Amino acid sequence: MRLISGKEMLEKARAEGYAVGAFSAHNAEMIQAILWAAEEEKAPVMIQVGQRAIRYMGMEAMADMIESFGRHTGVTVAIHLDHGNSFEQVMQAMQLRFQSVMYDGSHYPLEKNIELTKKVAEAAHAVGVSVEGELGRIGGTEDDLTVSEEDAFLTDPDEAVRFVEETGVDSLAVAIGTAHGFYKGVPKLNFTRLEQIRDAVAIPLVLHGGSGVPDDMIRKAISLGIAKVNVDTELRHAFAEAAQKVWHDDPEQCHLAVVLGAAREAVKRKVAEKIRLFGSSGKA
Ligand code: 13P
């Protein structure tokens, strides 16, 4: 496994017009599924460790498992902290040799978001770790945080210029109409806004809430500067559905290798499908 910085991975994607899949892992099987799909597709990937996985598995255990399962693969990976919620948590991820961290200060007023993200970026850059910041408010439910439709708002291009300049972040998560979790109807993405942000800032842009967005919208977003797409819900759904099917078809089944093996296969298929959609096959 080749571990490279998030900045290097995303700048190449931006320059070549594809997006890196940033896949959220929650357990051993999901880590393996992501690594194996990336290996088959010869694609660079980010394996994201989010707040739920941290509470459920522990950040250190996740990092150790990724390194252990990845050791005998040739995959190009950046281990990424998703929605880092404090300076201390980001420091912990860096100590555990993550290559990329997100600090999410999007719920603060702009000034405070800038102040806190800048502090994280200075510390991370001192040891070669890349930083993703977020501006605007992405709707939906992620871990324990729910942002209602009324509270969600799009990223302002002028604020984005200021945020990127003053914080020094390496990539920027933008709010353009996607939401975490599945959508009730077809999501409405504001491509004009995305284009304005793309023209205003010269760093890779990140799309959160990748699950359930129609393929043509994902392709269009990538053509307009999105270089990283986060996917979580669709993977968890694939995992749970496959496990349920085994138990439904064979209620006595209690070999975890059978149940979780089927779930792992389903996640692997979904990750490979997303990698092809994002255009990152063969880019490792
Ligand atoms: P989904 O759960 O909608 O795929 O969003 C994932 C995400 O953005 C993680 O940060």
Side-chain angles (χ1 to χ4, degrees), residues 24 48 82-83 142 179-181 208-211 230-233 236:
S24 302
Q48 306 196 125
D82 194 25
H83 292 283
E142 164 103 271
H180 293 116
H208 280 243
S211 293
N230 287 10
V231 185
D232 181 11
T233 305
R236 283 187 278 107

Side-chain angles (χ1 to χ4, degrees), residues 6 68 111 114 121 182 190 243-244 252 257 259 279:
S68 171
E111 302 294 333
I114 289 177
F182 279 133
N190 191 324
Q244 274 163 9
E252 301 296 307
V259 181

Side-chain angles (χ1 to χ4, degrees), residues 22 24 48 80 82-83 102 132 134 138 141-142 178-183 206-213 228-236:
S24 302
Q48 306 196 125
H80 176 77
D82 194 25
H83 292 283
M102 176 188 191
E132 174 183 328
E134 179 172 317
I138 295 165
T141 299
E142 164 103 271
T178 55
H180 293 116
F182 279 133
Y183 298 86
V206 178
L207 189 71
H208 280 243
S211 293
V213 180
K228 170 178 180 267
V229 181
N230 287 10
V231 185
D232 181 11
T233 305
E234 272 193 65
L235 305 187
R236 283 187 278 107

Side-chain angles (χ1 to χ4, degrees), residues 87 91 103 105 110-126 131-133 162-169:
F87 184 79
M91 293 304 110
Y103 174 72
L110 179 65
E111 302 294 333
K112 186 141 177 143
N113 189 2
I114 289 177
E115 181 195 323
L116 296 173
T117 307
K118 181 173 185 229
K119 192 172 157 207
V120 163
E122 281 172 354
H125 289 163
V131 178
E132 174 183 328
R162 191 176 154 209
F163 183 83
V164 169
E165 258 173 31
E166 293 188 17
T167 60
V169 288

